[in-house]
């Protein structure tokens, strides 16, 4: 059974970088079929796909246009996890952030991490 | 971007009754539609993908139907554990997009 465990701070100051980690058990971040994804949810934006990383003989990354200039999603093969880094945050980045697996890179997500509420405030 | 619209926003149903949730896409997503259940403080849970394929372990009372732009999630006989928010999501076009959710509450 695949499980995703999120970690990271719940409070980030404006202009700083939001960083979260998602630890994977029961699968590999280097899977040649899965894609590892970050999604966020806020009252103003609803559920919003942010980006993904996946391995197909080499590493690939796709990012949402809305955050493309500020986002990095990195795999960590040593610890079998992946991370989200979102720079230059503003209060509009306040949201619950979820990691999720796209098992066959089809576009649907299972499972999801437990979610992390990140508040951007000074 | 494909806009997903769910209705109603809130559905009040008695336990044991049938619940029908709707999801409309602003353009065709063929059959590339998924449904999720989300309870407060928990991770969203995949219910249905490919419009009508149940995810492993999902009870048979959950079923999905539709194609193109109109989709339906039906819960045949609501159990107490089914009261939650339900989201649809299209994965036919990038960016992937979600509906705003339908809250199923106890009547």
């Amino acid at each position: 059974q695949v499980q995703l465990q999120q970690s990271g701070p719940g409070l980030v100051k404006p202009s700083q970088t939001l960083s979260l980690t998602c630890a994977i058990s029961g699968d590999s971040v280097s899977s040649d079929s899965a894609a590892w994804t970050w999604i966020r949810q806020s009252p103003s934006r609803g559920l919003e796909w942010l980006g993904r990383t996946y391995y197909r003989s080499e590493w690939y990354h796709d990012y949402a246009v809305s955050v493309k200039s500020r986002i990095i999603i990195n795999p960590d093969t040593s610890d079998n996890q992946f991370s989200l880094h979102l720079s230059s945050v503003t209060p509009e980045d306040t949201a619950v952030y979820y990691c999720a697996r796209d098992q066959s890179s089809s576009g649907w997500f299972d499972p999801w991490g437990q979610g992390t509420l990140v508040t951007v405030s000074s | 971007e494909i806009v997903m619209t769910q209705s109603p926003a809130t559905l009040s149903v008695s336990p044991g009754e049938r619940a029908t949730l709707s999801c409309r896409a602003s353009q065709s997503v063929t059959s590339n539609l998924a449904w999720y259940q989300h309870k407060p403080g928990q991770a969203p849970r995949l219910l249905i993908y490919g419009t009508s394929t149940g995810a492993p372990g999902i009870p048979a009372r959950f079923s999905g139907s539709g194609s193109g732009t109109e989709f339906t999630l039906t819960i045949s006989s609501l159990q107490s554990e089914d009261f939650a928010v339900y989201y649809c999501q299209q994965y036919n076009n990038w960016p992937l997009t979600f509906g705003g959710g339908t809250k199923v509450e106890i009547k």
Side-chain angles (χ1 to χ4, degrees):
Chain A
Q1 181 184 354
V2 179
Q3 292 186 315
L4 304 177
Q5 181 66 42
Q6 298 178 218
S7 59
L11 180 64
V12 181
K13 289 182 168 50
S15 80
Q16 294 192 341
T17 297
L18 178 162
S19 295
L20 297 173
T21 298
C22 183
I24 303 163
S25 58
D27 200 346
S28 170
V29 72
S30 303
S31 163
D32 61 3
S33 59
W36 304 96
T37 302
W38 287 96
I39 294 163
R40 69 181 177 183
Q41 183 176 30
S42 65
S44 59
R45 293 174 170 262
L47 284 161
E48 180 184 15
W49 178 90
L50 295 177
R52 64 178 182 172
T53 185
Y54 56 98
Y55 185 75
R56 304 289 186 268
S57 303
E58 62 183 272
W59 288 100
Y60 293 87
H61 306 85
D62 296 313
Y63 300 128
V65 170
S66 60
V67 295
K68 193 168 188 176
S69 63
R70 302 191 289 129
I71 190 173
I72 296 174
I73 296 176
N74 277 335
D76 178 351
T77 57
S78 299
D79 290 328
N80 199 32
Q81 60 189 23
F82 62 108
S83 60
L84 167 70
H85 303 279
L86 186 65
S87 63
S88 304
V89 296
T90 71
E92 284 210 348
D93 294 308
T94 294
V96 178
Y97 287 77
Y98 295 97
C99 60
R101 181 185 70 162
D102 179 348
Q103 181 178 354
S104 53
S105 300
S106 298
W108 42 269
F109 306 106
D110 180 49
W112 296 52
Q114 80 275 22
T116 302
L117 172 60
V118 179
T119 301
V120 179
S121 174
S122 54
Chain B
E1 173 174 317
I2 296 178
V3 177
M4 306 301 292
T5 303
Q6 291 186 242
S7 61
T10 303
L11 186 61
S12 298
V13 185
S14 299
E17 289 188 340
R18 181 185 193 93
T20 302
L21 289 66
S22 296
C23 175
R24 174 177 292 179
S26 60
Q27 65 189 74
S28 177
V29 299
T30 63
S31 62
N32 293 320
L33 185 104
W35 289 94
Y36 302 89
Q37 177 191 68
H38 193 193
K39 297 179 181 178
Q42 296 187 17
R45 176 191 183 195
L46 175 70
L47 297 175
I48 303 280
Y49 62 93
T51 296
S52 59
T53 302
I58 299 303
R61 63 182 180 271
F62 292 93
S63 63
S65 63
S67 67
T69 61
E70 301 282 345
F71 300 88
T72 300
L73 174 70
T74 301
I75 312 171
S76 59
S77 176
L78 267 159
Q79 306 298 302
S80 56
E81 62 266 29
D82 300 337
F83 293 98
V85 181
Y86 293 83
Y87 295 96
C88 61
Q89 177 231 329
Q90 68 82 18
Y91 51 95
N92 196 65
N93 289 70
W94 291 92
L96 309 182
T97 50
F98 294 83
T102 291
K103 181 180 181 181
V104 177
E105 64 176 25
I106 301 174
K107 187 174 182 180

